[in-house]
Amino acid sequence: MTDPYEADVIVVGSGFGGAVAAARLAQAGFSVIVVERGRRWRPGDFPRRPRLEDGWLWEVGQGLYDIRWLGRMGSVHGAGWGGGSLVYANVFARPYEGALDERWPAHLRREALDPYYDLAAYMMGVAPVGDDPRTGQPPARTTLVEQLIQEMTMSEATVRPNLAVTFGDPQTWRLNAHGVPRRGCAFVGECVIGCNHGAKNTLDNTYLAVAERCGARAVTDAEVRRIEPRDGGYTVIASTPSDSDAPQREWFARRVVLAAGAVATTELLLRSRDVHRTLPNLSRQLGQGFSGNGDFLTLAELRDNQDDMTTGPTITTSTVLDVPEGRRSVWFQVQDGAFPPPLHALFDTILPARAARAWWRQRVRRTTPRHIFTVLAMGRDSGNGTLRLDRSGKASLSWRNHWQGHLYRSQLRVGPRCSRDSSTHASTSLSPGLCCAAPSRCTPSAVYAPAVTPPPASSTRPARCTATRA
């Protein structure tokens, strides 16, 4: 079956790249179709029961998370209208100056991009965490981290980052800048499993709302399988994930924006070049330069304190560290993280592998869920991975990252250091102490700039659309 609708632009994916592209193009007067494989998720729809059938996994009834193993790395993708914004931890950060060095064109350096980060901050409604409306105090996890950093005489290294969350009265609905009802955060710490309260400023409530108001057409439950050139444009061919027997659907447009994520977009292009051969002239550099973002996670359990570590948004603080490691130093940022009790219950129920179950039962299962929190670290790791297609046509990663051992060793020490200094128990083995300070080349204030006021009128709205432009 062929959908007769043709558009100026087809946007594949409704995550951050696709949502911004769709909003800008629709505001500029182009006809836009946004094709998304997942469903629309409303407050109250997100899974909470410890059963996979409740909507947790994409492979089980097109649920919220698509978890893939790329050979050398696991990847987790949000599936739904709004993409990864449905399950990310809300943090709004800017790259530090050194990340956009001379390899980038002048118009894509930090100074030139700052006005656009200001606009994006306004569109997403960002603000740092405040006090819990139930207690009138900061979240206990926030206080714990800030006290720890102060005792380490490095308080300048820590900030409360801007978060794409609505704060205020958790019982009162009010319209955001885009006319979408939102209410204040309830501080239940469930941002990364979908906000059932209606406080998280996800893309479906910001950029995608603008796109649809300006005429963009949303097509959900449509997974793009193939792209073919035709008559000076492109035909996009999609299957229906919820009905394997449904005929394929097709749309035609002069332009196509691929924004299905770092893995899925690359996978689709590799198939188009090497399997379907519909785009044979794509660069041989396709798939190269892949990075895991230096992510590292440690679970920690509070020992001598009965405070609830799950309250607040998922992330409330960010600390930038510069760590001596051998003859060099490495820098990375560390963030606190809530570990939602529904996720604890799910893992306790469904962990499949014997080794994973044994680790969970020994290290985590006996703990009190509300006394557990996560320590997240992100650094600059080797961006020399290559995505290729395996024999089944799926993306697989080849990644030589052994030379980054100094980064991973430093990150590994974060959990034990927090454990030693804050009466917590970390799930990593004890290691030598961590000695660190905020690096001059990447300060928290440079990465987490203050929230901005509405953009100037000259940059807010085109004549034909009343939605805010960004």
Side-chain angles (χ1 to χ4, degrees):
M1 176 181 178
T2 301
D3 192 315
Y5 190 98
E6 294 184 359
D8 296 317
V9 184
I10 296 172
V11 177
V12 179
S14 64
F16 286 97
V20 174
R24 281 180 169 267
L25 290 166
Q27 286 177 311
F30 293 99
S31 57
V32 179
I33 300 175
V34 185
V35 182
E36 165 59 49
R37 64 174 177 163
R39 68 179 91 165
R40 290 183 187 264
W41 295 86
R42 312 287 189 187
D45 289 346
F46 294 102
R48 289 297 183 267
R49 291 176 293 181
R51 302 185 309 167
L52 292 182
E53 297 79 9
D54 198 39
W56 290 100
L57 294 182
W58 176 255
E59 294 297 327
V60 183
Q62 292 76 56
L64 183 60
Y65 298 98
D66 183 7
I67 302 176
R68 301 183 56 180
W69 182 247
L70 304 177
R72 296 292 305 277
M73 181 190 299
S75 64
V76 181
H77 312 258
W81 183 246
S85 76
L86 300 173
V87 295
Y88 85 132
N90 317 308
V91 175
F92 183 90
R94 307 175 188 225
Y96 84 104
E97 291 282 356
L100 301 175
D101 56 21
E102 66 279 355
R103 293 172 296 179
W104 291 79
H107 68 283
L108 293 179
R109 304 279 178 86
R110 168 65 186 270
E111 183 177 356
L113 292 177
D114 263 337
Y116 301 100
Y117 282 110
D118 290 343
L119 284 172
Y122 171 70
M123 290 289 289
M124 297 298 291
V126 305
V129 66
D131 293 339
D132 187 332
R134 297 168 297 185
T135 65
Q137 301 293 325
R141 187 164 26 90
T142 310
T143 301
L144 176 72
V145 171
E146 290 178 344
Q147 288 178 347
L148 170 62
I149 297 300
Q150 186 173 9
E151 291 169 2
M152 296 169 67
T153 65
M154 47 183 294
S155 57
E156 76 282 357
T158 299
V159 296
R160 297 184 185 182
N162 285 322
L163 307 174
V165 175
T166 297
F167 294 105
D169 185 355
Q171 302 303 322
T172 302
W173 291 93
R174 57 189 185 275
L175 299 181
N176 67 8
H178 318 296
V180 181
R182 302 277 84 200
R183 58 178 172 173
C185 178
F187 281 59
V188 294
E190 298 180 350
C191 310
V192 294
I193 56 176
C195 180
N196 274 334
H197 186 71
K200 188 174 180 178
N201 298 333
T202 47
L203 292 169
D204 49 331
N205 300 297
T206 54
Y207 279 100
L208 291 171
V210 171
E212 290 193 271
R213 184 174 299 122
C214 291
R217 178 188 174 193
V219 180
T220 56
D221 196 19
E223 187 166 14
V224 174
R225 297 293 188 180
R226 189 180 179 102
I227 300 173
E228 298 178 353
R230 191 187 95 192
D231 300 331
Y234 298 90
T235 297
V236 173
I237 303 169
S239 62
T240 303
S242 65
D243 184 359
S244 59
D245 296 326
Q248 290 187 326
R249 290 175 284 172
E250 299 181 3
W251 299 270
F252 173 78
R254 294 292 179 185
R255 297 287 185 271
V256 175
V257 175
L258 293 182
V263 175
T265 291
T266 305
E267 185 177 78
L268 183 58
L269 288 171
L270 286 170
R271 281 203 215 112
S272 299
R273 187 189 67 187
D274 301 335
V275 179
H276 304 145
R277 300 190 184 280
T278 54
L279 300 173
N281 297 323
L282 290 175
S283 171
R284 305 312 299 181
Q285 295 295 314
L286 178 63
Q288 298 189 29
F290 191 85
S291 167
N293 202 35
D295 285 348
F296 188 88
L297 183 148
T298 296
L299 287 178
E301 179 194 10
L302 201 63
R303 286 173 174 167
D304 303 329
N305 192 312
Q306 297 302 308
D307 289 335
D308 188 347
M309 293 289 105
T310 68
T311 62
T314 293
I315 289 174
T316 65
T317 65
S318 188
T319 303
V320 180
L321 306 179
D322 201 3
V323 184
E325 186 65 46
R327 296 182 179 180
R328 65 178 78 180
S329 65
V330 295
W331 73 265
F332 53 93
Q333 59 179 318
V334 178
Q335 297 171 334
D336 67 286
F339 189 64
L343 208 56
H344 187 286
L346 180 69
F347 284 0
D348 198 34
T349 303
I350 58 90
L351 276 179
R354 181 181 300 176
R357 283 200 307 271
W359 174 85
W360 178 265
R361 289 170 179 171
Q362 180 182 359
R363 296 295 187 95
V364 183
R365 189 179 189 183
R366 300 174 184 175
T367 61
T368 303
R370 293 194 177 276
H371 291 171
I372 293 177
F373 65 99
T374 63
V375 180
L376 309 156
M378 288 145 285
R380 296 181 66 187
D381 68 359
S382 55
N384 62 358
T386 300
L387 286 175
R388 299 185 176 92
L389 295 180
D390 61 19
R391 294 180 180 179
S392 65
K394 295 287 188 179
S396 179
L397 177 64
S398 173
W399 192 31
R400 298 184 303 276
N401 65 330
H402 297 295
W403 68 275
Q404 285 293 114
H406 58 284
L407 170 63
Y408 308 138
R409 286 192 298 270
S410 294
Q411 291 177 327
L412 190 65
R413 296 190 181 110
V414 172
R417 177 62 187 261
C418 290
S419 174
R420 189 180 69 197
D421 291 349
S422 63
S423 297
T424 63
H425 172 70
S427 62
T428 53
S429 58
L430 290 175
S431 304
L434 183 69
C435 181
C436 39
S440 59
R441 64 181 184 274
C442 178
T443 61
S445 60
V447 178
Y448 300 102
V452 298
T453 55
S458 59
S459 64
T460 55
R461 52 174 63 98
R464 62 176 296 161
C465 179
T466 58
T468 303
R469 180 182 180 185

